Amino acid sequence: MAAELFSTSLPHSNEVEVVEAKKSFIVLSDPESTSQNICERDADQTNGSINGGEERNSWQAAHPTLRERNALMFNNEQMADVHFIVGPPGETQTVPAHKYVLAVGSSVFGAMFYGDLAEGQSEIHIPDVEPTAFLILLKYMYSDGIELEADTVLATLYAAKKYIVPALAKACVTFLETSLEAKNACILLSQSCLFEEPELRQRCWEVIDAQAELALCSEGFCEIDMPTLEVILQRDTLNVREVVVFQAVLNWSVAECQRQSLAVNPRNQRVVLASNKPRLEFPLVKRAGLTPQRCHRFQSSAYRSNQWRYRGRCDSIQFAVDKRIFIAGLGLYGSSSGKAEYSVKIELKKQGTILAQNLTKFLSDGSSSTFPVWFEHPVQVEPDTFYTVSAVLDGNELSYFGQEGMTEVQCGTVTFQFQCSSDSTNGTGVQGGQIPEMVFFC
């Protein structure tokens, strides 16, 4: 039968009708074809040459690669030998599929369809997988195509894990890591434990530790489960004030009361947080937090009696790093002629877009030491991308300045690269000037 269906020889005239009827079920025709089109097609198939008419009407010939032909079968009733009823009751979607393709792509499907305990089911119910995620899984298995979106990536990761498709699961984890930020770090932390993804878990902790206030104040924090809440509260390296932690826990308890259909009041908030009052007192020792690291880009500093006043001009430098870090602030020089106060505006930009800024004051003591000026929250900086930091200081006193600047600085496990910035209008560059330090967490 297969030889007849895929034969490339021209049939005898009395066989045309039979063979074409057999072939019709594998020809991907337009469902809205008119009877005239059908007649014209039949005439072409009967009268056409071997290399002409048949190739024009063969979808297989129109798609020369195996990948293209397989991709046409994705979510297609043509030759489908199994149907999946995907999604929870009332929200299901029927998805046609082909057992052989699925078995080749997944050991779970292989055992389901061809294993010793295989059952000849024509319909399979999958209530625990979202239809959109299941279609993404199947599309990858049919064509190697991966289309991930923030709204469906977690459900897709679940499907990839469930059916043991490691390449798709890895792509999901990579997508999550690159889209990870403070507002989704807590919820992804709980998911990384569920999916047993230690690298994603570690990345989540890096963000939560460095940007703890943003993470705990996010809507995602209120969506985490109790075990994740407990492990976050016990974290000694959170870079956050305790009053922020307290308010975050209150917010979580409100959300948990709503999830359990309880009235939101102090009594119920205590119930959802702890059924029994803890016997131990609250710890009195302050959290250790994270220790900021400092990248020094100058080898020496100096001052002269007739140069380097800030006077409201912009000092700026560009930098890139080889691993993800969190920029917390800048170390700046102060007055070279005694105690002085400066007003300062610091700024961090990426390709002209402002990521963070702060307007504040600091007091220098007349020494050549640097004085930290902080952004409101640490800012995540991606590797191999140039960012611009700027400082506009206003003060009447002459300032220290850096000399013997380096284009590359190794700071612990992080390598910084520096280059001049076109925003700099006060003389700062790679070799000398201001902004001597980058203050960061990693």
mmCIF file of all heavy atoms in Angstrom, residues 121-159:
data_model
loop_
_atom_site.group_PDB
_atom_site.id
_atom_site.type_symbol
_atom_site.label_atom_id
_atom_site.label_comp_id
_atom_site.label_asym_id
_atom_site.label_seq_id
_atom_site.Cartn_x
_atom_site.Cartn_y
_atom_site.Cartn_z
ATOM 1 N N GLN A 121 -4.771 3.551 23.021
ATOM 2 C CA GLN A 121 -5.759 4.609 23.196
ATOM 3 C C GLN A 121 -5.729 5.570 22.019
ATOM 4 O O GLN A 121 -4.656 5.964 21.543
ATOM 5 C CB GLN A 121 -5.486 5.391 24.481
ATOM 6 C CG GLN A 121 -5.556 4.557 25.741
ATOM 7 C CD GLN A 121 -5.009 5.332 26.928
ATOM 8 O OE1 GLN A 121 -3.809 5.417 27.133
ATOM 9 N NE2 GLN A 121 -5.919 5.911 27.717
ATOM 10 N N SER A 122 -6.896 5.964 21.583
ATOM 11 C CA SER A 122 -6.964 6.965 20.518
ATOM 12 C C SER A 122 -7.136 8.366 21.090
ATOM 13 O O SER A 122 -6.890 9.350 20.399
ATOM 14 C CB SER A 122 -8.129 6.657 19.567
ATOM 15 O OG SER A 122 -9.354 6.662 20.279
ATOM 16 N N GLU A 123 -7.577 8.460 22.356
ATOM 17 C CA GLU A 123 -7.691 9.737 23.049
ATOM 18 C C GLU A 123 -7.003 9.643 24.402
ATOM 19 O O GLU A 123 -7.199 8.684 25.145
ATOM 20 C CB GLU A 123 -9.160 10.133 23.253
ATOM 21 C CG GLU A 123 -9.834 10.675 22.020
ATOM 22 C CD GLU A 123 -11.169 11.328 22.346
ATOM 23 O OE1 GLU A 123 -11.579 11.280 23.535
ATOM 24 O OE2 GLU A 123 -11.800 11.868 21.422
ATOM 25 N N ILE A 124 -6.195 10.655 24.718
ATOM 26 C CA ILE A 124 -5.453 10.674 25.979
ATOM 27 C C ILE A 124 -5.741 11.998 26.673
ATOM 28 O O ILE A 124 -5.565 13.067 26.084
ATOM 29 C CB ILE A 124 -3.945 10.515 25.737
ATOM 30 C CG1 ILE A 124 -3.662 9.156 25.086
ATOM 31 C CG2 ILE A 124 -3.158 10.660 27.035
ATOM 32 C CD1 ILE A 124 -2.226 8.963 24.675
ATOM 33 N N HIS A 125 -6.177 11.941 27.906
ATOM 34 C CA HIS A 125 -6.503 13.138 28.677
ATOM 35 C C HIS A 125 -5.280 13.594 29.483
ATOM 36 O O HIS A 125 -4.637 12.795 30.169
ATOM 37 C CB HIS A 125 -7.680 12.864 29.611
ATOM 38 C CG HIS A 125 -8.973 12.670 28.884
ATOM 39 N ND1 HIS A 125 -9.921 13.657 28.770
ATOM 40 C CD2 HIS A 125 -9.464 11.587 28.211
ATOM 41 C CE1 HIS A 125 -10.945 13.213 28.069
ATOM 42 N NE2 HIS A 125 -10.703 11.955 27.727
ATOM 43 N N ILE A 126 -4.965 14.877 29.394
ATOM 44 C CA ILE A 126 -3.850 15.460 30.141
ATOM 45 C C ILE A 126 -4.376 16.702 30.856
ATOM 46 O O ILE A 126 -4.255 17.829 30.365
ATOM 47 C CB ILE A 126 -2.671 15.830 29.215
ATOM 48 C CG1 ILE A 126 -2.265 14.631 28.360
ATOM 49 C CG2 ILE A 126 -1.479 16.317 30.028
ATOM 50 C CD1 ILE A 126 -1.146 14.921 27.403
ATOM 51 N N PRO A 127 -4.970 16.548 32.030
ATOM 52 C CA PRO A 127 -5.594 17.690 32.711
ATOM 53 C C PRO A 127 -4.610 18.632 33.399
ATOM 54 O O PRO A 127 -4.974 19.761 33.726
ATOM 55 C CB PRO A 127 -6.498 17.016 33.743
ATOM 56 C CG PRO A 127 -5.832 15.703 34.032
ATOM 57 C CD PRO A 127 -5.203 15.270 32.739
ATOM 58 N N ASP A 128 -3.365 18.179 33.639
ATOM 59 C CA ASP A 128 -2.431 18.978 34.433
ATOM 60 C C ASP A 128 -1.483 19.829 33.596
ATOM 61 O O ASP A 128 -0.570 20.447 34.143
ATOM 62 C CB ASP A 128 -1.614 18.065 35.345
ATOM 63 C CG ASP A 128 -0.786 17.054 34.568
ATOM 64 O OD1 ASP A 128 -1.226 16.635 33.479
ATOM 65 O OD2 ASP A 128 0.304 16.670 35.045
ATOM 66 N N VAL A 129 -1.664 19.888 32.288
ATOM 67 C CA VAL A 129 -0.807 20.687 31.418
ATOM 68 C C VAL A 129 -1.666 21.720 30.698
ATOM 69 O O VAL A 129 -2.757 21.404 30.218
ATOM 70 C CB VAL A 129 -0.071 19.809 30.388
ATOM 71 C CG1 VAL A 129 0.746 20.675 29.418
ATOM 72 C CG2 VAL A 129 0.845 18.809 31.092
ATOM 73 N N GLU A 130 -1.170 22.953 30.632
ATOM 74 C CA GLU A 130 -1.903 23.993 29.913
ATOM 75 C C GLU A 130 -1.837 23.735 28.409
ATOM 76 O O GLU A 130 -0.779 23.364 27.882
ATOM 77 C CB GLU A 130 -1.307 25.366 30.222
ATOM 78 C CG GLU A 130 -1.503 25.815 31.665
ATOM 79 C CD GLU A 130 -0.961 27.203 31.907
ATOM 80 O OE1 GLU A 130 -0.621 27.896 30.910
ATOM 81 O OE2 GLU A 130 -0.875 27.602 33.081
ATOM 82 N N PRO A 131 -2.946 23.921 27.687
ATOM 83 C CA PRO A 131 -2.948 23.670 26.240
ATOM 84 C C PRO A 131 -1.868 24.430 25.489
ATOM 85 O O PRO A 131 -1.206 23.871 24.605
ATOM 86 C CB PRO A 131 -4.349 24.128 25.821
ATOM 87 C CG PRO A 131 -5.191 23.924 27.034
ATOM 88 C CD PRO A 131 -4.303 24.252 28.193
ATOM 89 N N THR A 132 -1.660 25.700 25.838
ATOM 90 C CA THR A 132 -0.641 26.490 25.135
ATOM 91 C C THR A 132 0.743 25.886 25.331
ATOM 92 O O THR A 132 1.531 25.786 24.383
ATOM 93 C CB THR A 132 -0.649 27.942 25.646
ATOM 94 O OG1 THR A 132 -1.944 28.507 25.444
ATOM 95 C CG2 THR A 132 0.370 28.778 24.886
ATOM 96 N N ALA A 133 1.047 25.463 26.545
ATOM 97 C CA ALA A 133 2.349 24.856 26.828
ATOM 98 C C ALA A 133 2.502 23.528 26.095
ATOM 99 O O ALA A 133 3.587 23.201 25.599
ATOM 100 C CB ALA A 133 2.522 24.660 28.332
ATOM 101 N N PHE A 134 1.425 22.754 26.017
ATOM 102 C CA PHE A 134 1.487 21.463 25.322
ATOM 103 C C PHE A 134 1.748 21.670 23.830
ATOM 104 O O PHE A 134 2.511 20.929 23.211
ATOM 105 C CB PHE A 134 0.189 20.691 25.527
ATOM 106 C CG PHE A 134 0.259 19.258 25.084
ATOM 107 C CD1 PHE A 134 0.949 18.319 25.827
ATOM 108 C CD2 PHE A 134 -0.357 18.844 23.911
ATOM 109 C CE1 PHE A 134 1.032 16.994 25.419
ATOM 110 C CE2 PHE A 134 -0.293 17.533 23.494
ATOM 111 C CZ PHE A 134 0.402 16.603 24.252
ATOM 112 N N LEU A 135 1.145 22.690 23.247
ATOM 113 C CA LEU A 135 1.387 22.980 21.834
ATOM 114 C C LEU A 135 2.825 23.428 21.599
ATOM 115 O O LEU A 135 3.431 23.078 20.584
ATOM 116 C CB LEU A 135 0.411 24.052 21.356
ATOM 117 C CG LEU A 135 -1.040 23.588 21.172
ATOM 118 C CD1 LEU A 135 -1.953 24.777 20.919
ATOM 119 C CD2 LEU A 135 -1.150 22.583 20.038
ATOM 120 N N ILE A 136 3.380 24.196 22.533
ATOM 121 C CA ILE A 136 4.790 24.591 22.418
ATOM 122 C C ILE A 136 5.690 23.361 22.471
ATOM 123 O O ILE A 136 6.665 23.242 21.715
ATOM 124 C CB ILE A 136 5.162 25.593 23.524
ATOM 125 C CG1 ILE A 136 4.409 26.911 23.314
ATOM 126 C CG2 ILE A 136 6.675 25.848 23.552
ATOM 127 C CD1 ILE A 136 4.551 27.889 24.471
ATOM 128 N N LEU A 137 5.366 22.425 23.378
ATOM 129 C CA LEU A 137 6.115 21.174 23.472
ATOM 130 C C LEU A 137 6.052 20.404 22.161
ATOM 131 O O LEU A 137 7.076 19.962 21.632
ATOM 132 C CB LEU A 137 5.549 20.335 24.611
ATOM 133 C CG LEU A 137 6.067 18.895 24.736
ATOM 134 C CD1 LEU A 137 7.496 18.895 25.266
ATOM 135 C CD2 LEU A 137 5.167 18.068 25.649
ATOM 136 N N LEU A 138 4.849 20.241 21.610
ATOM 137 C CA LEU A 138 4.702 19.482 20.371
ATOM 138 C C LEU A 138 5.378 20.171 19.198
ATOM 139 O O LEU A 138 5.993 19.506 18.353
ATOM 140 C CB LEU A 138 3.209 19.253 20.067
ATOM 141 C CG LEU A 138 2.678 17.865 20.462
ATOM 142 C CD1 LEU A 138 2.849 17.637 21.960
ATOM 143 C CD2 LEU A 138 1.215 17.707 20.062
ATOM 144 N N LYS A 139 5.277 21.488 19.150
ATOM 145 C CA LYS A 139 5.919 22.196 18.043
ATOM 146 C C LYS A 139 7.420 21.956 18.045
ATOM 147 O O LYS A 139 8.044 21.783 16.983
ATOM 148 C CB LYS A 139 5.627 23.687 18.127
ATOM 149 C CG LYS A 139 6.181 24.467 16.935
ATOM 150 C CD LYS A 139 5.670 25.885 16.880
ATOM 151 C CE LYS A 139 6.137 26.562 15.599
ATOM 152 N NZ LYS A 139 5.617 27.938 15.480
ATOM 153 N N TYR A 140 8.010 21.938 19.230
ATOM 154 C CA TYR A 140 9.447 21.646 19.307
ATOM 155 C C TYR A 140 9.736 20.226 18.825
ATOM 156 O O TYR A 140 10.706 19.993 18.090
ATOM 157 C CB TYR A 140 9.946 21.816 20.740
ATOM 158 C CG TYR A 140 11.352 21.292 20.920
ATOM 159 C CD1 TYR A 140 12.442 22.000 20.424
ATOM 160 C CD2 TYR A 140 11.588 20.075 21.546
ATOM 161 C CE1 TYR A 140 13.736 21.508 20.543
ATOM 162 C CE2 TYR A 140 12.868 19.581 21.680
ATOM 163 C CZ TYR A 140 13.937 20.299 21.180
ATOM 164 O OH TYR A 140 15.212 19.800 21.301
ATOM 165 N N MET A 141 8.897 19.269 19.191
ATOM 166 C CA MET A 141 9.128 17.881 18.822
ATOM 167 C C MET A 141 8.944 17.637 17.326
ATOM 168 O O MET A 141 9.564 16.756 16.751
ATOM 169 C CB MET A 141 8.207 16.974 19.636
ATOM 170 C CG MET A 141 8.459 17.053 21.135
ATOM 171 S SD MET A 141 7.289 16.116 22.119
ATOM 172 C CE MET A 141 7.827 14.461 21.780
ATOM 173 N N TYR A 142 8.109 18.446 16.689
ATOM 174 C CA TYR A 142 7.885 18.303 15.256
ATOM 175 C C TYR A 142 8.895 19.081 14.410
ATOM 176 O O TYR A 142 9.186 18.686 13.280
ATOM 177 C CB TYR A 142 6.476 18.780 14.890
ATOM 178 C CG TYR A 142 5.393 17.750 15.077
ATOM 179 C CD1 TYR A 142 4.850 17.510 16.335
ATOM 180 C CD2 TYR A 142 4.900 17.014 14.012
ATOM 181 C CE1 TYR A 142 3.852 16.570 16.533
ATOM 182 C CE2 TYR A 142 3.896 16.068 14.192
ATOM 183 C CZ TYR A 142 3.377 15.849 15.456
ATOM 184 O OH TYR A 142 2.391 14.912 15.632
ATOM 185 N N SER A 143 9.391 20.196 14.947
ATOM 186 C CA SER A 143 10.185 21.078 14.082
ATOM 187 C C SER A 143 11.448 21.648 14.704
ATOM 188 O O SER A 143 12.168 22.385 14.034
ATOM 189 C CB SER A 143 9.314 22.253 13.632
ATOM 190 O OG SER A 143 8.980 23.083 14.741
ATOM 191 N N ASP A 144 11.733 21.334 15.968
ATOM 192 C CA ASP A 144 12.844 21.936 16.710
ATOM 193 C C ASP A 144 12.622 23.417 16.990
ATOM 194 O O ASP A 144 13.519 24.092 17.484
ATOM 195 C CB ASP A 144 14.189 21.769 15.980
ATOM 196 C CG ASP A 144 14.695 20.342 16.025
ATOM 197 O OD1 ASP A 144 14.274 19.605 16.928
ATOM 198 O OD2 ASP A 144 15.486 19.963 15.150
ATOM 199 N N GLY A 145 11.451 23.938 16.635
ATOM 200 C CA GLY A 145 11.175 25.348 16.877
ATOM 201 C C GLY A 145 10.796 25.595 18.320
ATOM 202 O O GLY A 145 10.013 24.849 18.913
ATOM 203 N N ILE A 146 11.363 26.657 18.908
ATOM 204 C CA ILE A 146 11.073 27.012 20.300
ATOM 205 C C ILE A 146 10.579 28.453 20.336
ATOM 206 O O ILE A 146 11.298 29.369 19.949
ATOM 207 C CB ILE A 146 12.315 26.864 21.201
ATOM 208 C CG1 ILE A 146 12.800 25.408 21.205
ATOM 209 C CG2 ILE A 146 12.004 27.320 22.626
ATOM 210 C CD1 ILE A 146 14.048 25.183 22.025
ATOM 211 N N GLU A 147 9.353 28.644 20.787
ATOM 212 C CA GLU A 147 8.772 29.975 20.918
ATOM 213 C C GLU A 147 8.293 30.136 22.354
ATOM 214 O O GLU A 147 7.255 29.604 22.740
ATOM 215 C CB GLU A 147 7.612 30.157 19.939
ATOM 216 C CG GLU A 147 8.033 30.076 18.470
ATOM 217 C CD GLU A 147 6.861 30.243 17.526
ATOM 218 O OE1 GLU A 147 5.736 30.469 18.031
ATOM 219 O OE2 GLU A 147 7.055 30.150 16.299
ATOM 220 N N LEU A 148 9.069 30.866 23.148
ATOM 221 C CA LEU A 148 8.764 31.026 24.567
ATOM 222 C C LEU A 148 8.314 32.457 24.860
ATOM 223 O O LEU A 148 8.823 33.404 24.266
ATOM 224 C CB LEU A 148 9.989 30.688 25.412
ATOM 225 C CG LEU A 148 10.526 29.258 25.276
ATOM 226 C CD1 LEU A 148 11.806 29.100 26.076
ATOM 227 C CD2 LEU A 148 9.474 28.253 25.719
ATOM 228 N N GLU A 149 7.371 32.580 25.775
ATOM 229 C CA GLU A 149 6.897 33.876 26.236
ATOM 230 C C GLU A 149 6.825 33.863 27.758
ATOM 231 O O GLU A 149 6.681 32.801 28.374
ATOM 232 C CB GLU A 149 5.527 34.200 25.642
ATOM 233 C CG GLU A 149 5.540 34.345 24.118
ATOM 234 C CD GLU A 149 4.181 34.696 23.569
ATOM 235 O OE1 GLU A 149 3.237 34.850 24.384
ATOM 236 O OE2 GLU A 149 4.052 34.805 22.333
ATOM 237 N N ALA A 150 6.916 35.045 28.341
ATOM 238 C CA ALA A 150 6.957 35.144 29.801
ATOM 239 C C ALA A 150 5.726 34.531 30.456
ATOM 240 O O ALA A 150 5.816 33.919 31.517
ATOM 241 C CB ALA A 150 7.097 36.616 30.209
ATOM 242 N N ASP A 151 4.570 34.663 29.811
ATOM 243 C CA ASP A 151 3.326 34.181 30.424
ATOM 244 C C ASP A 151 3.197 32.663 30.417
ATOM 245 O O ASP A 151 2.424 32.101 31.204
ATOM 246 C CB ASP A 151 2.120 34.787 29.702
ATOM 247 C CG ASP A 151 2.014 36.290 29.911
ATOM 248 O OD1 ASP A 151 2.626 36.787 30.869
ATOM 249 O OD2 ASP A 151 1.328 36.948 29.110
ATOM 250 N N THR A 152 3.919 31.987 29.531
ATOM 251 C CA THR A 152 3.736 30.538 29.379
ATOM 252 C C THR A 152 5.000 29.730 29.653
ATOM 253 O O THR A 152 4.954 28.506 29.608
ATOM 254 C CB THR A 152 3.259 30.216 27.949
ATOM 255 O OG1 THR A 152 4.211 30.737 26.995
ATOM 256 C CG2 THR A 152 1.901 30.830 27.678
ATOM 257 N N VAL A 153 6.123 30.383 29.949
ATOM 258 C CA VAL A 153 7.387 29.644 30.043
ATOM 259 C C VAL A 153 7.388 28.669 31.223
ATOM 260 O O VAL A 153 7.933 27.552 31.113
ATOM 261 C CB VAL A 153 8.581 30.614 30.119
ATOM 262 C CG1 VAL A 153 8.527 31.469 31.383
ATOM 263 C CG2 VAL A 153 9.902 29.853 30.039
ATOM 264 N N LEU A 154 6.791 29.025 32.356
ATOM 265 C CA LEU A 154 6.775 28.108 33.492
ATOM 266 C C LEU A 154 5.928 26.875 33.192
ATOM 267 O O LEU A 154 6.312 25.745 33.530
ATOM 268 C CB LEU A 154 6.252 28.817 34.739
ATOM 269 C CG LEU A 154 7.237 29.755 35.441
ATOM 270 C CD1 LEU A 154 6.544 30.530 36.541
ATOM 271 C CD2 LEU A 154 8.420 28.985 35.999
ATOM 272 N N ALA A 155 4.780 27.088 32.558
ATOM 273 C CA ALA A 155 3.934 25.950 32.178
ATOM 274 C C ALA A 155 4.634 25.076 31.145
ATOM 275 O O ALA A 155 4.509 23.844 31.161
ATOM 276 C CB ALA A 155 2.602 26.451 31.633
ATOM 277 N N THR A 156 5.399 25.701 30.256
ATOM 278 C CA THR A 156 6.152 24.946 29.250
ATOM 279 C C THR A 156 7.268 24.138 29.909
ATOM 280 O O THR A 156 7.525 22.987 29.537
ATOM 281 C CB THR A 156 6.734 25.894 28.191
ATOM 282 O OG1 THR A 156 5.670 26.663 27.616
ATOM 283 C CG2 THR A 156 7.445 25.117 27.101
ATOM 284 N N LEU A 157 7.930 24.736 30.893
ATOM 285 C CA LEU A 157 8.973 24.017 31.620
ATOM 286 C C LEU A 157 8.380 22.795 32.314
ATOM 287 O O LEU A 157 8.986 21.713 32.315
ATOM 288 C CB LEU A 157 9.627 24.951 32.638
ATOM 289 C CG LEU A 157 10.704 24.338 33.540
ATOM 290 C CD1 LEU A 157 11.839 23.729 32.716
ATOM 291 C CD2 LEU A 157 11.256 25.372 34.509
ATOM 292 N N TYR A 158 7.202 22.953 32.891
ATOM 293 C CA TYR A 158 6.534 21.820 33.528
ATOM 294 C C TYR A 158 6.271 20.708 32.511
ATOM 295 O O TYR A 158 6.529 19.526 32.781
ATOM 296 C CB TYR A 158 5.220 22.272 34.164
ATOM 297 C CG TYR A 158 4.410 21.133 34.738
ATOM 298 C CD1 TYR A 158 4.731 20.563 35.961
ATOM 299 C CD2 TYR A 158 3.316 20.614 34.034
ATOM 300 C CE1 TYR A 158 3.994 19.515 36.486
ATOM 301 C CE2 TYR A 158 2.574 19.555 34.540
ATOM 302 C CZ TYR A 158 2.915 19.014 35.760
ATOM 303 O OH TYR A 158 2.185 17.955 36.265
ATOM 304 N N ALA A 159 5.761 21.068 31.337
ATOM 305 C CA ALA A 159 5.473 20.068 30.302
ATOM 306 C C ALA A 159 6.756 19.391 29.823
ATOM 307 O O ALA A 159 6.794 18.174 29.626
ATOM 308 C CB ALA A 159 4.754 20.733 29.127
#
